[in-house]
């Protein structure tokens, strides 16, 4: 896609996002907010998976840390929501430093297993540390406070929608810039051929740890939005099932495209939403759809669309 | 004058096998040295020892008189030792230009610029284009590396190493798998680059014509040991080498 076409498409998307709250019914808007939050989460996974070639099976841990961090802060101190967002993201990023440091000692499937092990460990902590996390009940009644001290309330559905949409757009742009920076270019080289990368004069591991932490920051931001939006945080938000779904969202949308995983998350959750209202066996169908997509649309929705446009010129 | 590269008593064992055994050699500045030897003689192992991909079990390596035995491969690269691989090793899904550009960037620094850095990228791109031009790959700059024919991929590898402006260039069988025409072209390119950039080159090669055509001096490895060292004429005349390698069976 030409830069100009991409810019037009971006502006159209922002315009659509701006109009939607007036078009959609209240519960539809609430579904949309959910889609955007998980879109942000899936996008963050793409940084390590698509751009650096590290498949993490434990990305939900950082979503969960963000959710718990923001939930606890909002429940106990009622700061403005952006403060809780920052805290949630930083908590996730801080935990990702040691986890990334250890996990990147391994590569491939061993890296994946280490990230999974750390995530399940964190899940167990959330489950067992009842005094802090409320155990399996989680933390309920997380308030949507204000935009800033003395500022407008975010309890209004439109207001919270704007906040989530702004977070997604800003994050997407930041990640896009990251992938185009000297650092981002180095990540792609690591993905393509790590041995060659090392022989060209740099150790790959520091790059991997840094991008792992950055991905955790954005996953934490998504989780930190999730807690006040849904009003709760529970251990499920850091369970391996969510990590697995994040992988499916990224693959559905298109690995290494950033926008793709956002779309992938939306499609994935919409299919789930629609199917689950007809049948309790919806997982069979989402699984089948996923298999078909991997076989017939390699590169995901966005990857396939790009190839199609390139072929047409 | 201090040699650019000096190995002393270099050895590497894999279990009971001594892949490289007590190798001592010195390569002078500006020299084009070839290492030859039959299959399994330890040529590639020697290369890995010099570039730092493998640690020696014995001996020392000095670069410009400085002991680098304890340094990692990336550290040696930053000091000025760049290499190519026997089995083509490029970044397949990146463009030819980006393959070379990243080689420049990794050596030059600024790799942790997370945002912006456009000036850095443009500067490295200029140097990458020069290197591509020197290897005659300019018109392939935008192609994905994976789509290049084998011969051009071999040249791309050399372009990546040359763009790093190393003092010592290690070429591991640069003409491997090339047609006679491509081999001749590659030899010409290597000779020209060596002269223009005043590079010191250590070359592992199978093809005897290439070696005797290019090298200032030749070292012969046999079962991990250096059995001869001299000018191409001396090596051609050496009886041990004849027996060990140059068709002693005929």
């Amino acid at each position: 896609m030409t830069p100009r076409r991409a810019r037009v498409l971006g502006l159209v998307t922002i315009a659509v996002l701006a109009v939607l709250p007036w078009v959609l019914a209240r519960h539809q808007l609430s579904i949309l907010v959910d889609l955007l939050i998980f879109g942000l989460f899936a996008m963050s996974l793409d940084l390590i998976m698509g751009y650096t070639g590290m498949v993490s099976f434990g990305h939900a841990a950082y979503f969960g840390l963000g959710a718990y961090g923001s939930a606890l802060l909002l429940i106990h101190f009622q700061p403005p929501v952006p403060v809780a967002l920052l805290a949630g993201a930083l908590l996730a990023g801080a935990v990702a430093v040691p986890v990334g440091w250890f996990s990147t000692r391994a590569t491939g499937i061993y890296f994946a297993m280490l990230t999974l092990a750390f995530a399940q460990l964190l899940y167990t902590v959330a489950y067992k540390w009842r005094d802090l996390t409320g155990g399996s009940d989680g933390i309920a009644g997380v308030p949507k406070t204000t935009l800033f001290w003395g500022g407008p309330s975010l309890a209004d559905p439109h207001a919270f929608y704007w906040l989530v949409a702004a977070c997604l757009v800003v994050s997407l742009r930041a990640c896009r810039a990251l992938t185009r920076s000297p650092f981002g270019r180095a990540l792609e080289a690591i993905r393509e051929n790590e041995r060659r990368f090392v022989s060209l004069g740099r150790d790959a591991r520091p790059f991997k740890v840094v991008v792992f932490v950055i991905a955790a920051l954005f996953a934490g931001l998504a989780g930190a939005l999730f807690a006040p939006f849904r009003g709760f945080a529970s251990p499920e938000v850091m369970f391996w099932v969510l990590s697995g779904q994040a992988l499916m969202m990224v693959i559905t949308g298109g690995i290494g495209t950033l926008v793709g995983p956002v779309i992938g998350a939306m499609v994935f959750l919409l299919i789930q939403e629609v199917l689950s209202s007809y049948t309790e066996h919806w997982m069979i169908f989402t699984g089948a759809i996923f298999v078909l997509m991997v076989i017939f649309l390699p590169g995901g929705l966005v990857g396939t669309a790009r190839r199609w446009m390139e072929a047409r010129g | 004058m201090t040699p650019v590269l000096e190995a002393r008593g270099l050895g590497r064992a894999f279990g009971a096998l001594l892949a490289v055994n007590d190798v001592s050699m010195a390569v002078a500045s500006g020299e084009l040295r070839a290492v030859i030897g039959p299959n399994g003689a330890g040529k590639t192992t020697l290369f890995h020892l010099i570039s730092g991909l493998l640690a020696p079990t014995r001996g020392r390596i000095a670069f410009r008189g400085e002991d680098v035995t304890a340094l990692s491969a990336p550290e040696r690269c930053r000091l000025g030792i760049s290499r190519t691989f026997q089995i083509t090793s490029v970044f397949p899904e990146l463009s030819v230009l980006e393959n070379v550009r990243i080689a420049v960037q990794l050596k030059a620094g600024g790799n942790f610029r997370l945002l912006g850095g456009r000036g850095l990228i443009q500067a490295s791109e200029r140097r990458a284009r020069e290197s591509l031009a020197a290897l005659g790959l300019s018109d392939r700059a935008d192609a994905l590396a994976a789509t290049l024919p084998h011969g051009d991929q071999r040249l791309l590898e050399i372009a990546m190493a040359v763009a790093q402006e190393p003092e010592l260039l290690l070429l591991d069988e640069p003409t491997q798998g090339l047609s006679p025409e491509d081999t001749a072209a590659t030899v010409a390119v290597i000779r020209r680059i060596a002269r223009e950039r005043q590079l010191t080159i250590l070359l592992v090669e199978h093809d005897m014509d290439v070696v005797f055509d290019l090298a200032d001096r030749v070292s012969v490895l046999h079962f991990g040991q250096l059995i001869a060292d001299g000018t191409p004429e001396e090596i051609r005349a050496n009886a041990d080498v004849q027996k060990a390698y140059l068709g002693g069976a005929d």
Side-chain angles (χ1 to χ4, degrees):
Chain A
M1 196 165 14
T2 60
R4 191 157 153 223
R5 251 203 237 167
R7 172 160 299 170
V8 170
L9 204 64
L11 287 174
V12 169
T13 310
I14 290 175
V16 170
L17 283 174
V19 174
L20 276 175
W22 281 282
V23 181
L24 296 179
R26 201 179 168 125
H27 77 279
Q28 287 171 325
L29 186 66
S30 151
I31 291 171
L32 180 61
V33 172
D34 234 25
L35 300 184
L36 296 180
I37 289 175
F38 283 99
L40 174 58
F41 174 52
M43 182 204 72
S44 74
L45 178 59
D46 197 26
L47 279 180
I48 44 179
M49 193 171 152
Y51 286 88
T52 327
M54 303 150 70
V55 179
S56 166
F57 281 170
H59 205 50
Y62 309 100
F63 185 86
L65 282 164
Y68 274 103
S70 117
L72 286 168
L73 203 63
L74 287 167
I75 285 259
H76 295 295
F77 301 101
Q78 292 91 39
V81 169
V83 174
L85 297 183
L86 191 67
L90 288 178
L91 177 66
V95 173
V97 172
V99 174
W101 192 83
F102 277 111
S103 303
T104 54
R105 294 175 74 92
T107 53
I109 192 73
Y110 301 100
F111 169 80
M113 286 299 122
L114 282 173
T115 54
L116 175 62
F118 279 113
Q120 287 302 91
L121 196 110
L122 289 163
Y123 166 79
T124 310
V125 170
Y127 200 87
K128 295 285 182 191
W129 195 354
R130 294 196 70 91
D131 296 340
L132 184 72
T133 64
S136 58
D137 300 334
I139 300 165
V142 179
K144 296 186 188 72
T145 53
T146 55
L147 188 59
F148 48 86
W149 280 278
S153 163
L154 291 171
D156 172 57
H158 278 214
F160 205 86
Y161 166 82
W162 296 124
L163 177 70
V164 171
C167 282
L168 177 64
V169 170
V170 170
S171 301
L172 195 56
R173 296 210 60 161
C175 288
R176 171 80 58 223
L178 181 83
T179 59
R180 288 175 179 166
S181 71
F183 177 75
R185 304 282 198 102
L187 296 181
E188 288 192 299
I190 292 173
R191 177 194 69 204
E192 288 297 308
N193 187 344
E194 186 169 338
R195 187 178 151 95
R196 189 62 170 135
F197 181 92
V198 172
S199 83
L200 289 172
R202 298 287 155 178
D203 204 348
R205 235 182 111 204
F207 292 86
K208 291 176 164 185
V209 176
V210 169
V211 73
F212 190 80
V213 171
I214 293 172
L217 284 169
F218 284 106
L221 174 63
L225 285 164
F226 176 87
F229 173 63
R230 290 283 190 87
F232 73 90
S234 66
E236 277 73 47
V237 294
M238 42 192 1
F239 200 45
W240 64 267
V241 169
L242 182 58
S243 299
Q245 286 175 338
L247 290 171
M248 291 170 82
M249 291 167 183
V250 172
I251 293 168
T252 302
I255 291 180
T257 59
L258 291 180
V259 171
V262 178
I263 295 169
M266 297 175 120
V267 170
F268 184 86
L269 292 174
L270 271 180
I271 291 175
Q272 183 173 319
E273 179 81 24
V274 172
L275 286 177
S276 63
S277 64
Y278 290 104
T279 163
E280 56 180 301
H281 303 302
W282 54 270
M283 272 190 190
I284 296 174
F285 297 98
T286 50
I289 291 170
F290 182 69
V291 169
L292 291 175
M293 287 192 70
V294 169
I295 295 174
F296 293 108
L297 300 179
L301 295 169
V302 168
T304 305
R306 277 189 188 161
R307 261 202 313 274
W308 185 71
M309 280 198 292
E310 268 163 30
R312 282 181 69 230
Chain B
M1 213 172 109
T2 340
V4 170
L5 176 75
E6 193 174 13
R8 254 195 236 142
L10 207 57
R12 169 74 200 198
F14 294 104
L17 172 76
L18 284 168
V20 170
N21 187 6
D22 196 25
V23 168
S24 295
M25 64 190 296
V27 182
S29 176
E31 184 181 327
L32 205 161
R33 169 77 61 101
V35 176
I36 62 170
N39 268 331
K43 302 184 298 285
T44 291
T45 305
L46 178 66
F47 248 48
H48 287 344
L49 294 177
I50 295 170
S51 65
L53 279 186
L54 276 175
T57 39
R58 321 188 38 166
R60 321 292 307 168
I61 300 165
F63 177 60
R64 295 183 303 211
E66 197 183 325
D67 192 314
V68 295
T69 317
L71 298 186
S72 67
E75 285 168 326
R76 290 186 207 184
C77 174
R78 297 206 292 276
L79 276 182
I81 304 177
S82 292
R83 68 166 294 172
T84 65
F85 286 82
Q86 183 184 358
I87 296 162
T88 307
S89 185
V90 296
F91 304 112
E93 296 296 318
L94 302 182
S95 74
V96 168
L97 176 64
E98 180 63 7
N99 265 268
V100 183
R101 197 204 63 75
I102 199 77
V104 174
Q105 180 193 308
L106 290 180
K107 177 134 180 217
N111 292 291
F112 283 91
R113 282 289 300 269
L114 300 184
L115 298 171
R118 193 170 287 186
L120 243 145
I121 287 176
Q122 281 164 352
S124 48
E125 202 171 295
R126 270 195 299 278
R127 262 174 63 191
R129 284 193 190 280
E130 282 169 24
S131 179
L132 283 177
L135 282 134
L137 287 173
S138 292
D139 53 337
R140 309 307 305 270
D142 296 325
L144 290 186
T147 64
L148 290 188
H150 177 71
D152 284 350
Q153 287 194 12
R154 300 300 292 166
L155 287 176
L156 172 57
E157 273 235 46
I158 300 175
M160 290 160 75
V162 166
Q164 294 197 310
E165 299 184 352
E167 195 162 327
L168 174 63
L169 177 61
L170 307 174
L171 301 174
D172 197 349
E173 301 209 17
T175 65
Q176 150 125 332
L178 295 188
S179 66
E181 302 84 65
D182 283 349
T183 299
T186 304
V187 167
V189 161
I190 293 172
R191 184 183 288 125
R192 179 164 48 78
I193 287 172
R195 200 179 50 232
E196 282 173 7
R197 307 203 170 209
Q198 290 168 346
L199 284 170
T200 308
I201 297 180
L202 185 65
L203 171 96
V204 162
E205 192 46 79
H206 229 78
D207 187 327
M208 284 307 108
D209 295 335
V210 170
V211 169
F212 290 123
D213 198 4
L214 265 179
D216 300 318
R217 288 184 75 82
V218 179
S219 301
V220 184
L221 268 183
H222 189 51
F223 290 119
Q225 278 181 309
L226 215 53
I227 58 167
D229 195 332
T231 64
E233 293 72 33
E234 286 166 2
I235 293 300
R236 241 195 276 257
N238 186 309
D240 286 345
V241 178
Q242 294 280 344
K243 209 162 72 192
Y245 189 34
L246 294 176
D250 302 348

